[in-house]
């Protein structure tokens, strides 16, 4: 079936009732856990080398957490939310009733191909929709496994997966979905929004960008380095919320550089034979990273803790630190999405804030500081999708808080109740009471009614 035929098939089916949603989410969790080994193998094939531990943490644990949280709260999310009307509308009542939208779409990228297809699916199913998923063509093994796994959990008129190339993706993005959640690059996000506009399909766009790290001068550099290495080199930097570049006081640049090298070598001794150091997804991305390094050679000081990147067959790209690249260099303009880490010296927190604010709004921002005034200033004077303080990546796995970007890093959000709301129509219902004073402000406007209306202004 092509995407159009899949869409027509799903369109004819009813929305999912609450018990079906709960049963399907429980079965989904079971199937995910039964397929742990298959997922590890598929992702390893797709990446050439994908750390099994990273797969368990980032793809499986995160989805299980999302299902657990959803199952715990689903009944309360689906209940009508009552809001008393204000004093002026005495005795009447308002309700918000969440309703399924119908057939919704999910387009996902290659970097966490399982999580970024399944986490939105959990929200869409929780909200009672029928769902179509277009996983990335760059991870064919994982995409096929997703299709196979979901076909054992969902009926053919509940969830369908459109496995295929760019042509399939283009056709998919033009379908008249009731909502479309896209995770991917900012450039493709613009195309998705344009395609969705012909049907007025609302979109949630989970996009990319450059996520900065700001380190306060007095913060423990060793602690910051540990967390930065953990967040930057997980999945070899192929993470939307990976630290993209660091802003740090000039007096701390050398200490930080040495601490990052030491921590990297402790975590990943000899990357060539280290199954925990993930490879770059394909040759195009390997070449793109190589060209960033080549450009950086002439714009800053490149440091190679485990040797220079060499053309190789296994896609393993070594870490590269770039100290003080030119602000207009390639590495400071593109989202890096790999194990290259620029470190930029600044004189003050104001300079860091100006640097961040002169660029697109980041998806996430990292602050390393124990100083309340420093943290408050950066929080207040910058705008990013999210912020994590004294840690990297863990904001993504927090339950019950929205995840999403702002400006060029995205629009809308999901995870927990926010995901449920994004895939629901929040229908408002106004209930008039038997005791009703509204005739006092309706025509004909007698002198008494005019007095009441004038008085209302002061309430
Ligand atoms: P991408 O934008 O190239 O592709 C994403 C998806 O869009 C794929 O499924 C692809 O098939 C589809 N697609 C590509 N071109 C299309 C077109 N013209 N019409 C319709 N569909 C099209 O992104 P990618 O390279 O797979 O992923 C990397 C990007 O995703 C990075 O920018 C990263 O920051 C971002 N990302 C964001 C998040 C987040 O949560 N905000 C998470 C992961 C990745």
């Amino acid at each position: 079936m092509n995407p159009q035929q899949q869409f027509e098939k799903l369109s004819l089916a009813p929305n999912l009732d609450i018990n079906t949603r709960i049963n399907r989410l429980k079965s989904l969790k079971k199937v995910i856990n039964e397929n742990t080994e298959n997922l590890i193998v598929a992702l390893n094939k797709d990446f050439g080398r994908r750390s099994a531990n990273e797969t368990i943490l980032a793809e499986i644990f995160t989805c299980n957490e999302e299902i657990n949280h959803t199952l715990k709260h689903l009944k309360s999310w689906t209940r009508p939310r009552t809001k008393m009307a204000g004093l002026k509308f005495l005795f009447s009542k308002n309700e918000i009733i969440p309703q399924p939208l119908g057939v919704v779409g999910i387009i996902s990228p290659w970097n966490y191909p399982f999580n970024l297809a399944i986490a939105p699916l959990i929200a869409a199913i929780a909200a009672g929709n029928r769902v179509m998923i277009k996983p990335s063509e760059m991870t064919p093994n994982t995409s096929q496994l997703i299709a196979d796994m979901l076909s054992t959990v969902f009926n053919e008129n509940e969830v369908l997966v459109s496995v295929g190339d760019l042509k399939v993706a283009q056709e998919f993005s033009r379908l008249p979905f009731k909502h479309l959640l896209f995770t991917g690059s900012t450039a493709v996000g613009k195309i998705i929004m344009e395609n969705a506009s012909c049907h007025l399909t609302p979109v949630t766009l989970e996009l990319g960008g450059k996520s900065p790290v700001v380190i306060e001068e007095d913060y423990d550099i060793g602690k910051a380095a540990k967390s930065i290495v953990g967040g930057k080199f997980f999945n070899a930097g192929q993470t939307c919320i990976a630290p993209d570049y660091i802003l740090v006081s000039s007096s701390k640049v050398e200490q930080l550089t040495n601490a990052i090298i030491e921590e990297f070598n402790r975590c990943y001794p000899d990357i060539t034979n280290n199954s925990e150091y993930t490879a770059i997804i394909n040759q195009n991305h390997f070449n793109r990273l190589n060209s960033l390094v080549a450009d950086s050679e002439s714009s800053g000081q490149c440091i190679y803790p485990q040797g220079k990147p060499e053309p190789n067959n296994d896609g393993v790209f070594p870490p590269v630190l770039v100290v003080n690249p030119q602000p207009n260099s390639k590495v400071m303009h593109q989202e890096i999405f790999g194990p290259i880490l620029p470190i930029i010296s600044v004189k003050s927190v104001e300079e860091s804030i100006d640097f961040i604010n002169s660029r697109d709004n980041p998806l996430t921002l990292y602050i390393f500081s124990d100083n309340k005034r420093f943290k408050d200033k950066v929080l207040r004077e910058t705008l990013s999708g999210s912020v994590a303080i004294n840690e990297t990546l863990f904001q993504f796995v927090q339950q019950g808080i929205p995840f999403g970007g702002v400006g060029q890093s995205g629009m809308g959000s999901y995870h927990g109740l926010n995901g449920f709301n994004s895939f629901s129509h929040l229908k408002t219902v106004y209930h008039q009471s038997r005791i009703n004073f509204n005739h006092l402000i309706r025509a004909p406007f007698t002198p008494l009614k005019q007095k009441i209306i004038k008085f209302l202004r002061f309430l």
Side-chain angles (χ1 to χ4, degrees):
M1 269 191 289
N2 64 32
Q4 177 66 42
Q5 290 162 333
Q6 290 182 322
F7 184 85
E8 281 160 15
K9 190 171 180 69
L10 289 179
S11 300
L12 299 172
N15 292 321
L16 276 58
D17 63 41
I18 181 81
N19 288 332
T20 309
R21 301 178 206 180
I22 290 171
N23 290 338
R24 297 291 186 271
L25 289 175
K26 283 182 180 165
S27 310
L28 179 61
K29 187 176 165 191
K30 191 161 166 276
V31 166
I32 292 174
N33 291 314
E34 284 167 359
N35 278 277
T36 299
E37 211 38 54
N38 293 338
L39 280 163
I40 289 171
V41 170
L43 276 143
N44 197 45
K45 269 194 200 156
D46 285 333
F47 276 79
R49 183 209 280 176
R50 169 48 116 71
S51 155
N53 287 311
E54 289 180 352
T55 293
I56 293 171
L57 283 169
E59 316 276 1
I60 297 168
F61 166 76
T62 44
C63 289
N64 277 340
E65 281 286 288
E66 194 65 26
I67 295 176
N68 292 343
H69 180 79
T70 303
L71 285 173
K72 189 168 164 202
H73 297 283
L74 186 53
K75 282 200 169 144
S76 72
W77 293 346
T78 51
R79 254 178 236 133
R81 306 163 197 176
T82 308
K83 304 261 174 202
M84 291 316 290
L87 198 62
K88 287 175 213 160
F89 306 98
L90 212 57
F91 302 122
S92 60
K93 189 180 86 174
N94 293 313
E95 267 187 316
I96 301 169
I97 302 180
Q99 280 194 310
L101 292 167
V103 183
V104 300
I106 293 165
I107 302 180
S108 52
W110 56 263
N111 62 327
Y112 294 100
F114 188 73
N115 174 295
L116 296 169
I118 301 301
L121 171 72
I122 294 164
I125 289 297
N129 300 289
R130 289 145 283 150
V131 189
M132 280 176 68
I133 302 178
K134 160 65 187 74
S136 175
E137 63 280 9
M138 296 221 218
T139 49
N141 295 289
T142 312
S143 297
Q144 190 54 54
L145 183 57
I146 291 172
D148 295 344
M149 283 168 66
L150 296 186
S151 70
T152 68
V153 176
F154 296 97
N155 293 334
E156 267 213 330
N157 59 5
E158 292 171 348
V159 173
L160 289 170
V161 180
S162 308
V163 178
D165 58 10
L166 194 59
K167 237 179 108 223
V168 172
Q170 287 166 335
E171 184 186 344
F172 189 100
S173 67
R174 293 196 190 99
L175 292 170
F177 293 118
K178 297 294 184 189
H179 192 93
L180 179 57
L181 187 147
F182 167 82
T183 306
S185 60
T186 301
V188 176
K190 291 177 187 174
I191 299 171
I192 298 294
M193 194 164 172
E194 198 180 328
N195 291 351
S197 73
C198 50
H199 301 291
L200 285 182
T201 295
V203 288
T204 299
L205 299 179
E206 300 284 343
L207 309 178
K210 295 179 83 62
S211 295
V213 178
V214 187
I215 307 179
E216 190 229 334
E217 197 169 3
D218 293 336
Y219 192 78
D220 181 331
I221 289 294
K223 259 167 84 179
K226 278 190 188 322
S227 179
I228 291 167
V229 167
K232 177 69 183 180
F233 299 102
F234 194 92
N235 209 27
Q238 302 165 105
T239 305
C240 57
I241 51 169
D244 191 279
Y245 62 91
I246 304 174
L247 299 164
V248 64
S249 158
S250 338
S251 64
K252 293 290 167 78
V253 169
E254 196 179 338
Q255 193 190 344
L256 178 69
T257 308
N258 291 336
I260 290 176
I261 294 170
E262 191 182 318
E263 179 62 10
F264 182 87
N265 288 334
R266 190 182 71 79
C267 295
Y268 304 101
D270 185 12
I271 53 167
T272 44
N273 297 312
N274 190 334
S275 60
E276 293 304 335
Y277 189 71
T278 293
I280 301 305
I281 186 73
N282 59 29
Q283 197 60 44
N284 285 348
H285 276 278
F286 193 98
N287 295 344
R288 179 184 64 78
L289 291 169
N290 238 341
S291 82
L292 289 184
V293 174
D295 184 73
S296 301
E297 290 260 11
S298 57
S299 94
Q301 183 204 353
C302 290
I303 300 170
Y304 304 100
Q306 295 210 10
K308 284 191 174 192
E310 301 284 349
N312 61 40
N313 292 328
D314 56 13
V316 175
F317 200 95
V320 182
L321 307 185
V322 187
V323 179
N324 284 325
Q326 294 295 320
N328 59 357
S329 60
K330 277 189 188 172
V331 84
M332 289 315 297
H333 268 279
Q334 286 177 25
E335 177 183 12
I336 296 173
F337 224 58
I340 305 171
L341 182 56
I343 301 174
I344 296 155
S345 59
V346 289
K347 292 191 189 66
S348 62
V349 63
E350 286 78 13
E351 193 182 332
S352 295
I353 291 171
D354 287 347
F355 193 93
I356 293 164
N357 289 343
S358 66
R359 288 148 191 271
D360 291 336
N361 299 125
L363 179 58
T364 207
L365 175 99
Y366 295 108
I367 303 172
F368 286 91
S369 170
D370 289 324
N371 178 326
K372 185 170 180 330
R373 281 179 60 188
F374 183 97
K375 289 185 279 191
D376 286 350
K377 187 174 171 65
V378 180
L379 281 174
R380 204 175 43 243
E381 296 180 21
T382 59
L383 181 64
S384 57
S386 59
V387 172
I389 297 175
N390 300 339
E391 188 52 285
T392 58
L393 304 194
F394 278 75
Q395 71 276 26
F396 186 81
V397 288
Q398 299 312 301
Q399 294 302 323
I401 56 171
F403 178 81
V406 58
Q408 297 286 304
S409 59
M411 64 176 67
S413 60
Y414 73 123
H415 286 189
L417 177 60
N418 272 74
F420 175 87
N421 284 345
S422 297
F423 282 112
S424 299
H425 173 58
L426 301 181
K427 184 158 78 183
T428 56
V429 183
Y430 175 74
H431 297 265
Q432 182 53 280
S433 147
R434 282 165 193 252
I435 309 165
N436 178 353
F437 300 113
N438 284 359
H439 61 278
L440 294 175
I441 53 167
R442 283 193 170 134
F445 294 108
T446 61
L448 174 65
K449 288 184 181 180
Q450 288 183 39
K451 273 189 190 153
I452 292 171
I453 289 167
K454 276 187 187 144
F455 176 72
L456 276 179
R457 288 181 304 160
F458 302 110
L459 276 187

